[in-house]
């Protein structure tokens, strides 16, 4: 089993339709609409922790990190970003103790996380190792193709189904390959 211990951080200026692009990506796995993200940086850290726990074996979008927000709001978003990155990177929830000194359940993230953001979080090397940044620039997107894809999101789910069917048909060949060995070699 290969567990992704990183966050896909989709970063770019405001107005570049990052949420739309990620929502279309998520349409490979179900019906998602632009502007209705499963989670956002408006959530409390504990609420977000539970959302990422509930998102078992799925891709969860956490939308709209913009650290330029005024004062304490920007600091709060940065703390939430750090919590997401550390919990996903370590695959651990926050340990909690009840007043009777019994351990409360922990809620580690159990799926893949994608963040849309206007900037990178301020961080050290260990935090940067916990995310893969994809920069979105105006020149990278084709508005006409994006608008066309938005009209036909079901086609994306069908393409994923065809891919999964291909894997099922060719499973023996794929399992006999050295992809997992290559993954561990590159990761080392």
């Amino acid at each position: 089993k290969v567990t992704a211990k990183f966050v896909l951080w989709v970063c770019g200026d405001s107005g570049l339709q990052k949420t739309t692009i990620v929502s279309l990506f998520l349409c490979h796995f179900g019906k998602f609409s632009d502007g209705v993200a499963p989670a956002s940086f408006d959530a409390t850290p504990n609420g977000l922790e539970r959302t990422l726990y509930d998102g078992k074996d799925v891709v969860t979008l956490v939308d709209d990190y913009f650290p330029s927000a005024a004062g304490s709001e920007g600091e709060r978003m940065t703390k939430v970003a750090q919590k997401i990155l550390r919990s996903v990177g370590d695959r651990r929830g926050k340990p909690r103790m009840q007043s009777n000194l019994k351990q409360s359940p922990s809620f580690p993230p159990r799926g893949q996380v994608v963040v849309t953001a206007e900037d990178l979080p301020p961080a050290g090397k260990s935090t940067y190792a916990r995310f893969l940044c994809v920069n979105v620039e105006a020149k990278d997107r084709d508005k006409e193709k994006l608008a066309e894809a938005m009209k036909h999101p079901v086609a994306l789910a069908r393409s994923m189904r065809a891919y999964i069917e291909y894997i099922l048909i060719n499973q023996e060949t794929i399992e006999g390959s050295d992809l997992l060995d290559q993954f561990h070699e590159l990761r080392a």
Side-chain angles (χ1 to χ4, degrees), residues 135-156:
N135 288 308
V136 176
E137 297 180 9
K139 66 180 178 61
D140 296 331
R141 68 186 170 135
D142 183 322
K143 289 183 182 181
E144 290 177 17
K145 287 182 181 177
L146 193 57
E148 187 64 26
M150 288 167 53
K151 291 177 189 174
H152 307 287
V154 173
L156 299 171

Side-chain angles (χ1 to χ4, degrees), residues 7-174:
V7 171
L8 184 61
W9 196 273
V10 180
C11 189
D13 290 337
S14 180
L16 291 179
Q17 297 178 292
K18 297 176 296 292
T19 303
T20 300
I21 292 167
V22 173
S23 294
L24 283 170
F25 165 74
L26 291 176
C27 283
H28 285 89
F29 307 99
K31 186 175 181 180
F32 291 86
S33 59
D34 181 30
V36 186
S40 76
F41 281 87
D42 289 338
T44 65
N46 289 340
L48 198 51
E49 179 181 30
R50 184 58 192 241
T51 299
L52 299 182
Y53 174 81
D54 290 342
K56 183 177 185 329
D57 300 329
V58 299
V59 181
T60 301
L61 167 60
V62 182
D63 193 32
D64 210 16
Y65 172 74
F66 56 101
S68 60
S72 63
E73 181 64 13
E75 290 174 17
R76 189 193 66 74
M77 282 190 180
T78 297
K79 286 179 184 177
V80 170
Q82 293 288 341
K83 181 174 176 97
I84 292 170
L85 291 167
R86 295 211 175 272
S87 65
V88 171
D90 297 339
R91 288 292 172 185
R92 281 194 321 214
K94 181 179 179 181
R96 293 176 177 85
M97 194 70 76
Q98 297 173 6
S99 61
N100 62 3
L101 300 180
K102 289 188 178 181
Q103 187 84 26
S104 291
S106 180
F107 300 104
R110 301 185 299 168
Q112 183 62 47
V113 178
V114 179
V115 165
T116 59
E118 292 181 10
D119 205 350
L120 298 175
K125 290 179 183 177
S126 68
T127 301
Y128 283 128
R130 290 176 164 90
F131 69 88
L132 173 65
C133 182
V134 176
N135 288 308
V136 176
E137 297 180 9
K139 66 180 178 61
D140 296 331
R141 68 186 170 135
D142 183 322
K143 289 183 182 181
E144 290 177 17
K145 287 182 181 177
L146 193 57
E148 187 64 26
M150 288 167 53
K151 291 177 189 174
H152 307 287
V154 173
L156 299 171
R158 288 183 184 140
S159 70
M160 181 56 76
R161 178 182 174 167
Y163 174 70
I164 291 169
E165 288 172 349
Y166 168 83
I167 290 175
L168 289 172
I169 292 168
N170 297 288
Q171 190 170 1
E172 289 179 18
T173 306
I174 294 169

